Amino acid sequence: MKYSPNLGDGLLAECLERELAQALGGARVHSIDIAGRTGWSAQSTPRRGRVLALLEAVPPALRQIAAATALTLLSRLVLRRHVRTGLSGVAAVVIGGGNLLTDADLNFPIKLAGASAEVARRGLPLAVHAVGASPHWSPRGRALFARALSRRHLAHAAVRDERSRQAWAMQLEPAGLPPAEVVGDPGLLASLHYTRAPRSTPAEQERRVALCITAPLALRYHMGQHHGRDAGQAGALHDEAVIAWYGTLASALAQQGLHVILFTNGSPEDRACLARHAHRWTAEPPAAGWHGGLPRKGRGRVSVAAPFATPADLAVFVAGCDLIIAHRMHACIAAHSFAVPTIGLTWDEKLTSFFALAGRARYAVDGPALPLPTMVELVQAALAEGVDRTALAALIARTRADVSRLGQRLLAATAKEALPIPMAEPVTTPASIPAPAEVATPVPA
């Protein structure tokens, strides 16, 4: 889903494209967005929010029938043609990155089944790399995923964490799919493929804590659909409770003398939520109105980041912060790549898996469940501790080696089928700015 409005998807797709192009000696690598998008745009903002609200209001059984019918028609009439066009001149296909093996109203099972049918029709080698997998699939979703991934012998099968490996083993290996290995998320390579903006002026030297806003509507949908929880179980995330917590935390951190910057990864419902409530979160509270009984340690402030247009904008922003607090996983992953400490909000289980992999399990927390002073102490601890640079360098090196191994297996598979891999034309760019990889191998990310 490279061109998803959630720019974290685009960030990991670009990192995989560029790293795989290098691993293949300069091959042309490009992404096919399996939702049919061809560029980043915020124009879907109102429509997406309305769709999520409608899905939440419809009873689950009816919602699944309606969504499956609409997605099947969309796949047959639009998406398969989009994939077919993107496969022109391609030698191999990678299903790459993202929380792709999840069954939210059969969205990804249907889209992936349609895309894989086009790959099989052309007889192309197929690989799966660094995907996330959820253990909660419907019977139909499981059948669609199994069919999609067994149409061609997999040249490579890899998931991004142990939880995903277990989900793969439980749901796909009984259908005859090979075991999946665990590899690093391509977003960990962000510091190799994006530049960090310099901070030179005195105003820019203040400690900046970025708080990523995820809309309660999106949180409920993710928890209810991706993790098999009904609306009642996800109900702890009531709108006003989450909205109030964001504002309370921002105020408490500003009270510590920090500059708190509110941002989103770009998902339309998140941007709408931030725009709707920013005036509450950025207002200066009276001295008696500080929450949690925390003493003032300085005069900080709360501001709002301008919306990002591309994954590079997101990467540059997180790289320039001193701490990221987020539920959106690739805001955390990109920041970690740049050695910016992070606190993950574990409203989604995948955050827990990544923080364990990164050796930062202490900083994966259910923020609203913590007393405010405890959350503030955790922020101060993360700022003081920073990131273990030696462990980070090893993780990045291992992730690069994972992509290199993928490349070698693709070379072997294409050689077996006598399919030449198209190579990119030389591109001249400044040494400090890596060139975007040219088009060739589709990576639906």
Side-chain angles (χ1 to χ4, degrees), residues 144-172:
L144 285 168
F145 276 139
R147 186 187 315 160
L149 299 176
S150 61
R151 289 181 186 273
R152 299 286 294 164
H153 172 74
L154 291 181
H156 174 87
V159 294
R160 68 187 181 191
D161 53 42
E162 177 59 23
R163 173 176 165 272
S164 296
R165 188 199 66 76
Q166 292 175 6
W168 176 290
M170 178 178 68
Q171 301 189 104
L172 291 175

PDB file of all heavy atoms in Angstrom, residues 144-172:
ATOM      1  N   LEU A 144      -8.464 -17.336   1.217  1.00  0.00           N
ATOM      2  CA  LEU A 144      -7.990 -16.408   0.188  1.00  0.00           C
ATOM      3  C   LEU A 144      -6.491 -16.173   0.306  1.00  0.00           C
ATOM      4  O   LEU A 144      -5.764 -16.155  -0.705  1.00  0.00           O
ATOM      5  CB  LEU A 144      -8.740 -15.076   0.295  1.00  0.00           C
ATOM      6  CG  LEU A 144     -10.178 -15.072  -0.215  1.00  0.00           C
ATOM      7  CD1 LEU A 144     -10.889 -13.798   0.220  1.00  0.00           C
ATOM      8  CD2 LEU A 144     -10.207 -15.201  -1.737  1.00  0.00           C
ATOM      9  N   PHE A 145      -5.996 -15.974   1.529  1.00  0.00           N
ATOM     10  CA  PHE A 145      -4.559 -15.790   1.712  1.00  0.00           C
ATOM     11  C   PHE A 145      -3.793 -17.032   1.261  1.00  0.00           C
ATOM     12  O   PHE A 145      -2.749 -16.934   0.593  1.00  0.00           O
ATOM     13  CB  PHE A 145      -4.238 -15.489   3.175  1.00  0.00           C
ATOM     14  CG  PHE A 145      -4.377 -14.051   3.571  1.00  0.00           C
ATOM     15  CD1 PHE A 145      -4.948 -13.713   4.794  1.00  0.00           C
ATOM     16  CD2 PHE A 145      -3.932 -13.025   2.749  1.00  0.00           C
ATOM     17  CE1 PHE A 145      -5.066 -12.388   5.184  1.00  0.00           C
ATOM     18  CE2 PHE A 145      -4.047 -11.701   3.127  1.00  0.00           C
ATOM     19  CZ  PHE A 145      -4.626 -11.379   4.355  1.00  0.00           C
ATOM     20  N   ALA A 146      -4.264 -18.224   1.647  1.00  0.00           N
ATOM     21  CA  ALA A 146      -3.579 -19.461   1.273  1.00  0.00           C
ATOM     22  C   ALA A 146      -3.530 -19.613  -0.239  1.00  0.00           C
ATOM     23  O   ALA A 146      -2.497 -19.990  -0.815  1.00  0.00           O
ATOM     24  CB  ALA A 146      -4.280 -20.661   1.913  1.00  0.00           C
ATOM     25  N   ARG A 147      -4.647 -19.309  -0.909  1.00  0.00           N
ATOM     26  CA  ARG A 147      -4.679 -19.414  -2.371  1.00  0.00           C
ATOM     27  C   ARG A 147      -3.740 -18.391  -3.004  1.00  0.00           C
ATOM     28  O   ARG A 147      -3.010 -18.696  -3.955  1.00  0.00           O
ATOM     29  CB  ARG A 147      -6.107 -19.192  -2.872  1.00  0.00           C
ATOM     30  CG  ARG A 147      -6.269 -19.436  -4.379  1.00  0.00           C
ATOM     31  CD  ARG A 147      -7.649 -19.031  -4.845  1.00  0.00           C
ATOM     32  NE  ARG A 147      -8.691 -19.518  -3.937  1.00  0.00           N
ATOM     33  CZ  ARG A 147      -9.907 -19.004  -3.883  1.00  0.00           C
ATOM     34  NH1 ARG A 147     -10.237 -17.972  -4.651  1.00  0.00           N
ATOM     35  NH2 ARG A 147     -10.797 -19.508  -3.049  1.00  0.00           N
ATOM     36  N   ALA A 148      -3.748 -17.171  -2.461  1.00  0.00           N
ATOM     37  CA  ALA A 148      -2.906 -16.113  -3.027  1.00  0.00           C
ATOM     38  C   ALA A 148      -1.431 -16.469  -2.957  1.00  0.00           C
ATOM     39  O   ALA A 148      -0.667 -16.213  -3.908  1.00  0.00           O
ATOM     40  CB  ALA A 148      -3.164 -14.799  -2.292  1.00  0.00           C
ATOM     41  N   LEU A 149      -0.995 -17.069  -1.853  1.00  0.00           N
ATOM     42  CA  LEU A 149       0.426 -17.319  -1.643  1.00  0.00           C
ATOM     43  C   LEU A 149       0.880 -18.692  -2.124  1.00  0.00           C
ATOM     44  O   LEU A 149       2.070 -19.000  -2.047  1.00  0.00           O
ATOM     45  CB  LEU A 149       0.758 -17.144  -0.161  1.00  0.00           C
ATOM     46  CG  LEU A 149       0.489 -15.733   0.393  1.00  0.00           C
ATOM     47  CD1 LEU A 149       0.764 -15.684   1.892  1.00  0.00           C
ATOM     48  CD2 LEU A 149       1.313 -14.687  -0.338  1.00  0.00           C
ATOM     49  N   SER A 150      -0.032 -19.496  -2.600  1.00  0.00           N
ATOM     50  CA  SER A 150       0.359 -20.820  -3.094  1.00  0.00           C
ATOM     51  C   SER A 150       0.202 -20.948  -4.599  1.00  0.00           C
ATOM     52  O   SER A 150       0.459 -22.020  -5.157  1.00  0.00           O
ATOM     53  CB  SER A 150      -0.467 -21.914  -2.391  1.00  0.00           C
ATOM     54  OG  SER A 150      -1.846 -21.750  -2.651  1.00  0.00           O
ATOM     55  N   ARG A 151      -0.214 -19.878  -5.276  1.00  0.00           N
ATOM     56  CA  ARG A 151      -0.344 -19.939  -6.743  1.00  0.00           C
ATOM     57  C   ARG A 151       1.015 -20.152  -7.400  1.00  0.00           C
ATOM     58  O   ARG A 151       1.112 -20.758  -8.462  1.00  0.00           O
ATOM     59  CB  ARG A 151      -0.974 -18.641  -7.276  1.00  0.00           C
ATOM     60  CG  ARG A 151      -2.446 -18.469  -6.947  1.00  0.00           C
ATOM     61  CD  ARG A 151      -2.948 -17.163  -7.544  1.00  0.00           C
ATOM     62  NE  ARG A 151      -4.310 -16.850  -7.171  1.00  0.00           N
ATOM     63  CZ  ARG A 151      -5.381 -17.268  -7.816  1.00  0.00           C
ATOM     64  NH1 ARG A 151      -5.237 -18.048  -8.880  1.00  0.00           N
ATOM     65  NH2 ARG A 151      -6.588 -16.918  -7.424  1.00  0.00           N
ATOM     66  N   ARG A 152       2.049 -19.591  -6.776  1.00  0.00           N
ATOM     67  CA  ARG A 152       3.414 -19.765  -7.270  1.00  0.00           C
ATOM     68  C   ARG A 152       4.275 -20.250  -6.112  1.00  0.00           C
ATOM     69  O   ARG A 152       4.049 -19.877  -4.952  1.00  0.00           O
ATOM     70  CB  ARG A 152       3.983 -18.436  -7.785  1.00  0.00           C
ATOM     71  CG  ARG A 152       3.218 -17.828  -8.946  1.00  0.00           C
ATOM     72  CD  ARG A 152       3.461 -18.572 -10.229  1.00  0.00           C
ATOM     73  NE  ARG A 152       4.845 -18.462 -10.674  1.00  0.00           N
ATOM     74  CZ  ARG A 152       5.403 -19.254 -11.597  1.00  0.00           C
ATOM     75  NH1 ARG A 152       4.717 -20.247 -12.135  1.00  0.00           N
ATOM     76  NH2 ARG A 152       6.653 -19.078 -11.950  1.00  0.00           N
ATOM     77  N   HIS A 153       5.296 -21.065  -6.398  1.00  0.00           N
ATOM     78  CA  HIS A 153       6.237 -21.472  -5.355  1.00  0.00           C
ATOM     79  C   HIS A 153       6.949 -20.225  -4.845  1.00  0.00           C
ATOM     80  O   HIS A 153       7.464 -19.411  -5.624  1.00  0.00           O
ATOM     81  CB  HIS A 153       7.262 -22.458  -5.915  1.00  0.00           C
ATOM     82  CG  HIS A 153       8.366 -22.760  -4.957  1.00  0.00           C
ATOM     83  ND1 HIS A 153       8.193 -23.556  -3.850  1.00  0.00           N
ATOM     84  CD2 HIS A 153       9.670 -22.336  -4.929  1.00  0.00           C
ATOM     85  CE1 HIS A 153       9.319 -23.631  -3.188  1.00  0.00           C
ATOM     86  NE2 HIS A 153      10.234 -22.898  -3.811  1.00  0.00           N
ATOM     87  N   LEU A 154       6.955 -20.040  -3.538  1.00  0.00           N
ATOM     88  CA  LEU A 154       7.571 -18.848  -2.963  1.00  0.00           C
ATOM     89  C   LEU A 154       9.093 -18.967  -2.978  1.00  0.00           C
ATOM     90  O   LEU A 154       9.667 -19.883  -2.393  1.00  0.00           O
ATOM     91  CB  LEU A 154       7.093 -18.630  -1.529  1.00  0.00           C
ATOM     92  CG  LEU A 154       5.623 -18.219  -1.344  1.00  0.00           C
ATOM     93  CD1 LEU A 154       5.314 -18.018   0.130  1.00  0.00           C
ATOM     94  CD2 LEU A 154       5.304 -16.950  -2.130  1.00  0.00           C
ATOM     95  N   ALA A 155       9.733 -18.009  -3.635  1.00  0.00           N
ATOM     96  CA  ALA A 155      11.192 -17.979  -3.656  1.00  0.00           C
ATOM     97  C   ALA A 155      11.756 -17.556  -2.303  1.00  0.00           C
ATOM     98  O   ALA A 155      12.933 -17.823  -2.005  1.00  0.00           O
ATOM     99  CB  ALA A 155      11.672 -17.014  -4.736  1.00  0.00           C
ATOM    100  N   HIS A 156      10.924 -16.932  -1.472  1.00  0.00           N
ATOM    101  CA  HIS A 156      11.384 -16.366  -0.199  1.00  0.00           C
ATOM    102  C   HIS A 156      10.148 -16.074   0.625  1.00  0.00           C
ATOM    103  O   HIS A 156       9.160 -15.540   0.113  1.00  0.00           O
ATOM    104  CB  HIS A 156      12.166 -15.074  -0.493  1.00  0.00           C
ATOM    105  CG  HIS A 156      12.584 -14.284   0.708  1.00  0.00           C
ATOM    106  ND1 HIS A 156      13.759 -14.509   1.382  1.00  0.00           N
ATOM    107  CD2 HIS A 156      11.991 -13.218   1.330  1.00  0.00           C
ATOM    108  CE1 HIS A 156      13.878 -13.623   2.369  1.00  0.00           C
ATOM    109  NE2 HIS A 156      12.814 -12.841   2.352  1.00  0.00           N
ATOM    110  N   ALA A 157      10.156 -16.436   1.899  1.00  0.00           N
ATOM    111  CA  ALA A 157       9.027 -16.168   2.780  1.00  0.00           C
ATOM    112  C   ALA A 157       9.565 -15.627   4.098  1.00  0.00           C
ATOM    113  O   ALA A 157      10.307 -16.316   4.800  1.00  0.00           O
ATOM    114  CB  ALA A 157       8.204 -17.431   3.025  1.00  0.00           C
ATOM    115  N   ALA A 158       9.208 -14.378   4.423  1.00  0.00           N
ATOM    116  CA  ALA A 158       9.736 -13.751   5.633  1.00  0.00           C
ATOM    117  C   ALA A 158       8.718 -12.783   6.208  1.00  0.00           C
ATOM    118  O   ALA A 158       8.037 -12.058   5.468  1.00  0.00           O
ATOM    119  CB  ALA A 158      11.041 -13.014   5.329  1.00  0.00           C
ATOM    120  N   VAL A 159       8.618 -12.766   7.525  1.00  0.00           N
ATOM    121  CA  VAL A 159       7.739 -11.848   8.245  1.00  0.00           C
ATOM    122  C   VAL A 159       8.592 -10.968   9.153  1.00  0.00           C
ATOM    123  O   VAL A 159       9.781 -11.219   9.336  1.00  0.00           O
ATOM    124  CB  VAL A 159       6.684 -12.612   9.062  1.00  0.00           C
ATOM    125  CG1 VAL A 159       5.716 -13.347   8.146  1.00  0.00           C
ATOM    126  CG2 VAL A 159       7.341 -13.590  10.029  1.00  0.00           C
ATOM    127  N   ARG A 160       7.971  -9.953   9.742  1.00  0.00           N
ATOM    128  CA  ARG A 160       8.776  -8.929  10.405  1.00  0.00           C
ATOM    129  C   ARG A 160       8.946  -9.121  11.908  1.00  0.00           C
ATOM    130  O   ARG A 160       9.691  -8.352  12.534  1.00  0.00           O
ATOM    131  CB  ARG A 160       8.178  -7.551  10.135  1.00  0.00           C
ATOM    132  CG  ARG A 160       6.833  -7.320  10.784  1.00  0.00           C
ATOM    133  CD  ARG A 160       6.234  -6.005  10.339  1.00  0.00           C
ATOM    134  NE  ARG A 160       4.940  -5.755  10.977  1.00  0.00           N
ATOM    135  CZ  ARG A 160       4.121  -4.801  10.603  1.00  0.00           C
ATOM    136  NH1 ARG A 160       4.457  -4.010   9.592  1.00  0.00           N
ATOM    137  NH2 ARG A 160       2.980  -4.622  11.215  1.00  0.00           N
ATOM    138  N   ASP A 161       8.276 -10.093  12.514  1.00  0.00           N
ATOM    139  CA  ASP A 161       8.454 -10.307  13.953  1.00  0.00           C
ATOM    140  C   ASP A 161       7.983 -11.707  14.325  1.00  0.00           C
ATOM    141  O   ASP A 161       7.372 -12.416  13.515  1.00  0.00           O
ATOM    142  CB  ASP A 161       7.724  -9.243  14.782  1.00  0.00           C
ATOM    143  CG  ASP A 161       6.255  -9.110  14.421  1.00  0.00           C
ATOM    144  OD1 ASP A 161       5.585 -10.149  14.228  1.00  0.00           O
ATOM    145  OD2 ASP A 161       5.763  -7.978  14.321  1.00  0.00           O
ATOM    146  N   GLU A 162       8.290 -12.105  15.551  1.00  0.00           N
ATOM    147  CA  GLU A 162       7.967 -13.456  16.002  1.00  0.00           C
ATOM    148  C   GLU A 162       6.466 -13.680  16.068  1.00  0.00           C
ATOM    149  O   GLU A 162       5.978 -14.774  15.744  1.00  0.00           O
ATOM    150  CB  GLU A 162       8.604 -13.700  17.383  1.00  0.00           C
ATOM    151  CG  GLU A 162       8.275 -15.049  18.006  1.00  0.00           C
ATOM    152  CD  GLU A 162       8.709 -16.237  17.160  1.00  0.00           C
ATOM    153  OE1 GLU A 162       9.620 -16.087  16.319  1.00  0.00           O
ATOM    154  OE2 GLU A 162       8.116 -17.319  17.347  1.00  0.00           O
ATOM    155  N   ARG A 163       5.722 -12.688  16.474  1.00  0.00           N
ATOM    156  CA  ARG A 163       4.263 -12.836  16.523  1.00  0.00           C
ATOM    157  C   ARG A 163       3.705 -13.132  15.130  1.00  0.00           C
ATOM    158  O   ARG A 163       2.822 -13.982  14.971  1.00  0.00           O
ATOM    159  CB  ARG A 163       3.650 -11.556  17.088  1.00  0.00           C
ATOM    160  CG  ARG A 163       2.137 -11.500  17.052  1.00  0.00           C
ATOM    161  CD  ARG A 163       1.644 -10.223  17.721  1.00  0.00           C
ATOM    162  NE  ARG A 163       0.256  -9.969  17.405  1.00  0.00           N
ATOM    163  CZ  ARG A 163      -0.171  -9.299  16.339  1.00  0.00           C
ATOM    164  NH1 ARG A 163       0.723  -8.799  15.484  1.00  0.00           N
ATOM    165  NH2 ARG A 163      -1.449  -9.099  16.126  1.00  0.00           N
ATOM    166  N   SER A 164       4.230 -12.462  14.112  1.00  0.00           N
ATOM    167  CA  SER A 164       3.782 -12.714  12.740  1.00  0.00           C
ATOM    168  C   SER A 164       4.206 -14.107  12.272  1.00  0.00           C
ATOM    169  O   SER A 164       3.471 -14.774  11.537  1.00  0.00           O
ATOM    170  CB  SER A 164       4.348 -11.647  11.800  1.00  0.00           C
ATOM    171  OG  SER A 164       3.833 -10.363  12.125  1.00  0.00           O
ATOM    172  N   ARG A 165       5.397 -14.535  12.706  1.00  0.00           N
ATOM    173  CA  ARG A 165       5.839 -15.881  12.322  1.00  0.00           C
ATOM    174  C   ARG A 165       4.897 -16.942  12.881  1.00  0.00           C
ATOM    175  O   ARG A 165       4.550 -17.918  12.204  1.00  0.00           O
ATOM    176  CB  ARG A 165       7.267 -16.134  12.812  1.00  0.00           C
ATOM    177  CG  ARG A 165       7.867 -17.439  12.280  1.00  0.00           C
ATOM    178  CD  ARG A 165       9.049 -17.901  13.111  1.00  0.00           C
ATOM    179  NE  ARG A 165       8.645 -18.263  14.466  1.00  0.00           N
ATOM    180  CZ  ARG A 165       8.022 -19.398  14.788  1.00  0.00           C
ATOM    181  NH1 ARG A 165       7.713 -20.290  13.849  1.00  0.00           N
ATOM    182  NH2 ARG A 165       7.676 -19.650  16.046  1.00  0.00           N
ATOM    183  N   GLN A 166       4.475 -16.742  14.125  1.00  0.00           N
ATOM    184  CA  GLN A 166       3.559 -17.692  14.732  1.00  0.00           C
ATOM    185  C   GLN A 166       2.200 -17.694  14.021  1.00  0.00           C
ATOM    186  O   GLN A 166       1.595 -18.755  13.823  1.00  0.00           O
ATOM    187  CB  GLN A 166       3.385 -17.364  16.214  1.00  0.00           C
ATOM    188  CG  GLN A 166       4.636 -17.603  17.042  1.00  0.00           C
ATOM    189  CD  GLN A 166       4.482 -17.148  18.475  1.00  0.00           C
ATOM    190  OE1 GLN A 166       3.407 -16.739  18.898  1.00  0.00           O
ATOM    191  NE2 GLN A 166       5.578 -17.210  19.237  1.00  0.00           N
ATOM    192  N   ALA A 167       1.731 -16.521  13.631  1.00  0.00           N
ATOM    193  CA  ALA A 167       0.467 -16.442  12.898  1.00  0.00           C
ATOM    194  C   ALA A 167       0.578 -17.135  11.544  1.00  0.00           C
ATOM    195  O   ALA A 167      -0.338 -17.853  11.121  1.00  0.00           O
ATOM    196  CB  ALA A 167       0.068 -14.979  12.709  1.00  0.00           C
ATOM    197  N   TRP A 168       1.705 -16.932  10.858  1.00  0.00           N
ATOM    198  CA  TRP A 168       1.952 -17.595   9.572  1.00  0.00           C
ATOM    199  C   TRP A 168       1.950 -19.115   9.774  1.00  0.00           C
ATOM    200  O   TRP A 168       1.306 -19.850   9.013  1.00  0.00           O
ATOM    201  CB  TRP A 168       3.280 -17.118   9.003  1.00  0.00           C
ATOM    202  CG  TRP A 168       3.729 -17.763   7.733  1.00  0.00           C
ATOM    203  CD1 TRP A 168       4.157 -19.050   7.560  1.00  0.00           C
ATOM    204  CD2 TRP A 168       3.801 -17.160   6.428  1.00  0.00           C
ATOM    205  NE1 TRP A 168       4.517 -19.288   6.256  1.00  0.00           N
ATOM    206  CE2 TRP A 168       4.300 -18.151   5.539  1.00  0.00           C
ATOM    207  CE3 TRP A 168       3.513 -15.893   5.938  1.00  0.00           C
ATOM    208  CZ2 TRP A 168       4.502 -17.891   4.168  1.00  0.00           C
ATOM    209  CZ3 TRP A 168       3.716 -15.635   4.581  1.00  0.00           C
ATOM    210  CH2 TRP A 168       4.200 -16.615   3.718  1.00  0.00           C
ATOM    211  N   ALA A 169       2.664 -19.574  10.777  1.00  0.00           N
ATOM    212  CA  ALA A 169       2.763 -21.021  11.016  1.00  0.00           C
ATOM    213  C   ALA A 169       1.401 -21.625  11.325  1.00  0.00           C
ATOM    214  O   ALA A 169       1.071 -22.730  10.850  1.00  0.00           O
ATOM    215  CB  ALA A 169       3.735 -21.291  12.170  1.00  0.00           C
ATOM    216  N   MET A 170       0.606 -20.917  12.090  1.00  0.00           N
ATOM    217  CA  MET A 170      -0.691 -21.446  12.505  1.00  0.00           C
ATOM    218  C   MET A 170      -1.691 -21.486  11.360  1.00  0.00           C
ATOM    219  O   MET A 170      -2.469 -22.429  11.239  1.00  0.00           O
ATOM    220  CB  MET A 170      -1.243 -20.577  13.642  1.00  0.00           C
ATOM    221  CG  MET A 170      -2.622 -20.994  14.142  1.00  0.00           C
ATOM    222  SD  MET A 170      -3.176 -19.962  15.535  1.00  0.00           S
ATOM    223  CE  MET A 170      -3.406 -18.376  14.698  1.00  0.00           C
ATOM    224  N   GLN A 171      -1.640 -20.500  10.462  1.00  0.00           N
ATOM    225  CA  GLN A 171      -2.709 -20.364   9.477  1.00  0.00           C
ATOM    226  C   GLN A 171      -2.310 -20.703   8.049  1.00  0.00           C
ATOM    227  O   GLN A 171      -3.181 -21.014   7.232  1.00  0.00           O
ATOM    228  CB  GLN A 171      -3.258 -18.932   9.529  1.00  0.00           C
ATOM    229  CG  GLN A 171      -3.786 -18.594  10.922  1.00  0.00           C
ATOM    230  CD  GLN A 171      -4.522 -17.280  10.977  1.00  0.00           C
ATOM    231  OE1 GLN A 171      -5.736 -17.248  11.030  1.00  0.00           O
ATOM    232  NE2 GLN A 171      -3.768 -16.187  10.946  1.00  0.00           N
ATOM    233  N   LEU A 172      -1.024 -20.663   7.736  1.00  0.00           N
ATOM    234  CA  LEU A 172      -0.620 -20.904   6.358  1.00  0.00           C
ATOM    235  C   LEU A 172       0.166 -22.201   6.157  1.00  0.00           C
ATOM    236  O   LEU A 172       0.056 -22.832   5.112  1.00  0.00           O
ATOM    237  CB  LEU A 172       0.194 -19.710   5.829  1.00  0.00           C
ATOM    238  CG  LEU A 172      -0.607 -18.419   5.639  1.00  0.00           C
ATOM    239  CD1 LEU A 172       0.326 -17.277   5.244  1.00  0.00           C
ATOM    240  CD2 LEU A 172      -1.700 -18.603   4.598  1.00  0.00           C
TER     241      LEU A 172
END
